[in-house]
Amino acid sequence: EAQVTQNPRYLITVTGKKLTVTCSQNMNHEYMSWYRQDPGLGLRQIYYSMNVEVTDKGDVPEGYKVSRKEKRNFPLILESPSPNQTSLYFCASSYKPGGYYNEQFFGPGTRLTVL
Amino acid sequence: KQEVTQIPAALSVPEGENLVLNCSFTDSAIYNLQWFRQDPGKGLTSLLLIQSSQREQTSGRLNASLDKSSGRSTLYIAASQPGDSATYLCAVSSGAGSYQLTFGKGTKLSVIP
């Protein structure tokens, strides 16, 4: 089944403790991205990647890192999480950025709470 | 910077009614527009994707239109059902290489049996 998977689905952590949220897709998509969703603010893009080893900042990149060493994986790294990073996080992928078929497919989300 | 607005923020209709959700965007230089559905606590499900060269797309009871020059899109839902209750989001792909996706804040739809 074609899908985007995220792990963990739920995470409660404390300020300053490094964490990684994994994202994997099995559709051979070039493009992957991370979003956060907050009440009243909607979905905002954190980082995106056009292909392996190619990443760029979205609208709200501060406090986050990403890497794209393999086409299928795009982990989100919080080196020193803070309470303002408490949010619902989504990973997404699409076939061909800029091409005709670039429908975005989303993972199920990761609910992160930073105490 | 691209901004996407969805009106109304919430909508309640009786079952069986036809309805229209609105989406507007400030920069008409888009590559495509996508409508999503989000159920509470869940991820996003893609409903329809309209390329910038297209005027509309249809899937079952859903029809989405795009007027790029005026910066508007509508999602028409025919014969609404309680199972259609969800938040509907529109998102536009714009910027160099169409890598940036900008979302509206959504319309929360409730279909009353």
Side-chain angles (χ1 to χ4, degrees), chain B residues 29-45:
Chain B
I30 68 170
Y31 292 89
N32 59 54
L33 183 145
Q34 198 167 352
W35 283 93
F36 294 90
R37 169 188 172 133
Q38 185 176 27
D39 294 285
K42 300 290 180 64
L44 279 71
T45 301

Side-chain angles (χ1 to χ4, degrees), chain A residues 31 35 37 40-43 45 48 50 57-59 88 90 97-104 106-108 111, chain B residues 1 31-32 34 36 38 41-44 46 49 51 53-54 57 89 93 97-105:
Chain A
Y31 176 78
Y35 300 85
Q37 186 176 35
L41 297 176
L43 275 145
Q45 192 173 47
Y48 59 93
M50 291 79 79
K57 298 177 181 178
D59 294 322
L88 180 59
F90 289 102
Y100 188 80
Y101 297 110
N102 57 348
E103 180 180 3
Q104 298 253 349
F106 279 74
R111 187 167 292 281
Chain B
K1 181 182 175 184
Y31 292 89
N32 59 54
Q34 198 167 352
F36 294 90
Q38 185 176 27
K42 300 290 180 64
L44 279 71
S46 177
L49 170 71
Q51 298 294 341
S53 58
Q54 298 175 320
Q57 282 284 347
L89 299 161
S93 176
S98 79
Y99 302 138
Q100 294 234 281
L101 199 63
T102 305
F103 280 83
K105 293 180 181 178

Side-chain angles (χ1 to χ4, degrees), chain B residues 4-111:
Chain B
V4 179
T5 302
Q6 291 186 246
I7 294 174
L11 180 64
S12 184
V13 300
E15 181 177 2
E17 191 164 295
N18 302 326
L19 61 101
V20 174
L21 307 181
N22 297 294
C23 173
S24 61
F25 45 94
T26 55
D27 184 354
S28 62
I30 68 170
Y31 292 89
N32 59 54
L33 183 145
Q34 198 167 352
W35 283 93
F36 294 90
R37 169 188 172 133
Q38 185 176 27
D39 294 285
K42 300 290 180 64
L44 279 71
T45 301
S46 177
L47 298 173
L48 290 164
L49 170 71
I50 309 178
Q51 298 294 341
S52 62
S53 58
Q54 298 175 320
R55 299 281 296 183
E56 65 178 316
Q57 282 284 347
T58 298
S59 176
R61 294 183 294 110
L62 305 179
N63 176 275
S65 67
L66 174 63
D67 185 343
K68 202 172 74 161
S69 61
S70 67
R72 294 184 179 184
S73 176
T74 61
L75 179 66
Y76 174 82
I77 302 177
S80 59
Q81 303 170 357
D84 294 330
S85 298
T87 296
Y88 291 81
L89 299 161
C90 83
V92 297
S93 176
S94 57
S98 79
Y99 302 138
Q100 294 234 281
L101 199 63
T102 305
F103 280 83
K105 293 180 181 178
T107 294
K108 185 175 182 179
L109 173 66
S110 298
V111 181

Side-chain angles (χ1 to χ4, degrees), chain A residues 13-83:
Chain A
T13 189
V14 296
T15 298
K17 185 176 181 182
K18 180 180 178 180
L19 66 92
T20 299
V21 184
T22 64
C23 172
S24 182
Q25 49 92 6
N26 62 2
M27 296 170 278
N28 202 35
H29 285 171
E30 291 99 337
Y31 176 78
M32 299 184 73
S33 62
W34 277 102
Y35 300 85
R36 60 178 289 173
Q37 186 176 35
D38 303 288
L41 297 176
L43 275 145
R44 295 175 292 168
Q45 192 173 47
I46 303 171
Y47 268 96
Y48 59 93
S49 168
M50 291 79 79
N51 215 322
V52 175
E53 302 292 1
V54 183
T55 63
D56 207 348
K57 298 177 181 178
D59 294 322
V60 288
E62 295 78 19
Y64 303 94
K65 285 177 57 176
V66 293
S67 69
R68 187 93 181 271
K69 293 182 169 49
E70 304 168 279
K71 197 171 186 179
R72 63 182 293 129
N73 297 323
F74 190 44
L76 179 70
I77 303 158
L78 285 72
E79 295 270 4
S80 183
S82 63

